[in-house]
Amino acid sequence: MKVKHWLTIIGVLLLLGFLLFSSIFLFDDKKSISEDNRLMILTTILPLQEFTAFVGGDEVSVSSLLPAGVEIHHFEPRPNDLKNLQEADLFIYGGEILEPGVAKIINSLQSETLKVLDASQFSLLLTDNQEHTHDGEGASHEGELKAVDPHFWLDFENDQKIVRAISDYLSLLDSEHASLYNQRATEYQEKLKALDDAYRASLENCQSREFIYGGHSAFAYLAKRYNLNYLAAQGLSPDAEPGAQTLILLSQQVKAQSNPYIFYEEWESSKVAETIASESGAKLKALNSGHNLSPAQKEAGITFLEIMENNLSNLRQGLNCQ
Ligand SMILES: [Zn+2]
């Protein structure tokens, strides 16, 4: 009896010691995200980072391959990203048209555990209808892909579908927290629905229904959803300088408006918009297509929803809405 008694005490002490040790270990040591029990999720662009962080909450670890201030269209993952991708549970990105460099890596990656969610699959892909952006492109598959506007997140209904898909993926991988993911997804969908309603109501009665944009062609989804037209100085990716013909055309379009505004691409060069503005006498307003944050915006904790609200306020002024 006595021996048994002592054995029980020793057993309990050992168990307490182990629990104490493991709790110190868990709280003291900054372990790499793959080593704790949470799902490890990697993303790229700002909206996908934010949707995932909101839906996943403290139950998951979310990080982005895309550093602040880096442009996504030509982004190439670094060797360390490959290592993280191989260890991750889920990768959520914007698909091969937006992120060709990332897609190539994903297709060649050999990971038995990594699930991939291509967020572009929930969008009806819109083609860019601006002829001046397609100089020299034939009807090849690559040419067709280049003509698709990859900025699907600028339709807030698409975003609601993406948020639901993120919740579904998380729930499959971690069924224990499924009801939490589901609840948070519903909450975020409501925020997006409210944003969509605000856009629709605010852009209903405007003197102009066309906006001229000095940046790359990113707003086909937004324009279609709220029954607006727009003209962009550059093509679908922010790398080509607009030609003289394009500048003249945009300048003429601006001049045709009363109280004209021209929009420039926030944290890209506003040179093109400034040139057209000085030529046409238009005023300048910023628009931000929300691919990523600048380092200063990241530091300040600016969110995707705030950027979209700011765009709405600038669009309202620029289109002279009531
Ligand atoms: Zn873009």
Side-chain angles (χ1 to χ4, degrees):
M1 268 310 263
K2 256 190 170 170
V3 173
K4 237 184 180 178
H5 187 65
W6 274 109
L7 279 177
T8 311
I9 291 175
I10 289 166
V12 168
L13 285 175
L14 279 174
L15 183 66
L16 282 174
F18 172 75
L19 286 175
L20 185 68
F21 172 78
S22 55
S23 66
I24 289 170
F25 185 69
L26 281 175
F27 288 111
D28 272 11
D29 189 9
K30 282 203 171 117
K31 296 162 71 171
S32 88
I33 39 184
S34 59
E35 281 169 355
D36 70 21
N37 285 327
R38 298 181 300 164
L39 289 177
M40 180 182 167
I41 304 160
L42 295 174
T43 62
T44 54
I45 54 171
L46 175 69
L48 300 181
Q49 290 169 33
E50 291 205 4
F51 301 166
T52 311
F54 192 93
V55 174
D58 289 338
E59 278 63 41
V60 303
S61 152
V62 184
S63 40
S64 175
L65 302 187
L66 189 69
V70 173
E71 192 271 297
I72 186 68
H73 294 274
H74 301 102
F75 173 68
E76 299 277 348
R78 300 143 299 181
N80 197 40
D81 295 330
L82 299 186
K83 188 178 151 284
N84 287 336
L85 279 167
Q86 262 153 344
E87 289 170 359
D89 299 295
L90 176 62
F91 177 55
I92 305 175
Y93 83 127
E96 72 163 316
I97 305 172
L98 178 71
E99 308 179 34
V102 178
K104 215 160 72 189
I105 296 291
I106 288 299
N107 293 338
S108 67
L109 199 69
Q110 307 244 317
S111 166
E112 282 167 18
T113 51
L114 182 69
K115 300 256 178 309
V116 178
L117 171 55
D118 171 355
S120 72
Q121 68 183 287
F122 306 100
S123 315
L124 192 79
L125 292 176
L126 292 180
T127 49
D128 176 55
N129 57 4
Q130 304 188 70
E131 285 174 16
H132 62 272
T133 63
H134 301 313
D135 297 342
E137 280 167 15
S140 63
H141 175 63
E142 207 171 286
E144 278 167 29
L145 280 188
K146 276 185 185 166
V148 172
D149 185 327
H151 306 88
F152 54 85
W153 63 92
L154 292 170
D155 178 319
F156 307 128
E157 196 177 22
N158 290 343
D159 292 339
Q160 291 175 59
K161 292 179 196 159
I162 295 166
V163 166
R164 182 54 54 196
I166 291 171
S167 165
D168 291 346
Y169 267 71
L170 296 186
S171 300
L172 269 178
L173 292 166
D174 172 25
S175 56
E176 198 188 320
H177 298 111
S179 67
L180 264 179
Y181 300 140
N182 182 37
Q183 198 180 318
R184 292 191 196 120
T186 304
E187 198 182 322
Y188 203 91
Q189 281 179 314
E190 277 160 16
K191 290 175 196 277
L192 289 163
K193 172 83 172 56
L195 184 68
D196 185 37
D197 290 345
Y199 263 76
R200 196 172 296 289
S202 307
L203 298 172
E204 206 175 341
N205 293 311
C206 308
Q207 274 178 34
S208 171
R209 298 218 70 79
E210 181 174 78
F211 63 100
I212 315 284
Y213 186 54
H216 75 290
S217 191
F219 288 95
Y221 291 91
L222 189 141
K224 181 169 193 290
R225 187 151 184 87
Y226 306 110
N227 195 24
L228 301 169
N229 297 313
Y230 91 110
L231 286 169
Q234 291 164 263
L236 289 159
S237 160
D239 51 359
E241 286 285 313
Q245 276 298 104
T246 304
L247 291 179
I248 291 168
L249 174 78
L250 294 182
S251 202
Q252 282 168 351
Q253 293 282 334
V254 170
K255 279 180 194 162
Q257 296 179 358
S258 63
N259 191 20
Y261 279 87
I262 172 143
F263 294 90
Y264 64 91
E265 186 154 13
E266 197 178 320
W267 70 271
E268 294 282 333
S269 164
S270 56
K271 214 176 74 194
V272 174
E274 280 168 17
T275 307
I276 301 169
S278 68
E279 158 73 15
S280 61
K283 283 169 259 180
L284 288 162
K285 278 276 166 208
L287 280 184
N288 185 333
S289 37
H291 303 62
N292 195 2
L293 295 174
S294 67
Q297 284 174 323
K298 191 177 170 119
E299 185 72 32
I302 304 287
T303 68
F304 173 71
L305 292 178
E306 283 166 355
I307 290 172
M308 294 301 118
E309 281 159 10
N310 198 44
N311 279 350
L312 176 58
S313 160
N314 285 353
L315 275 170
R316 277 179 55 78
Q317 286 179 59
L319 297 174
N320 301 296
C321 305
Q322 282 165 14

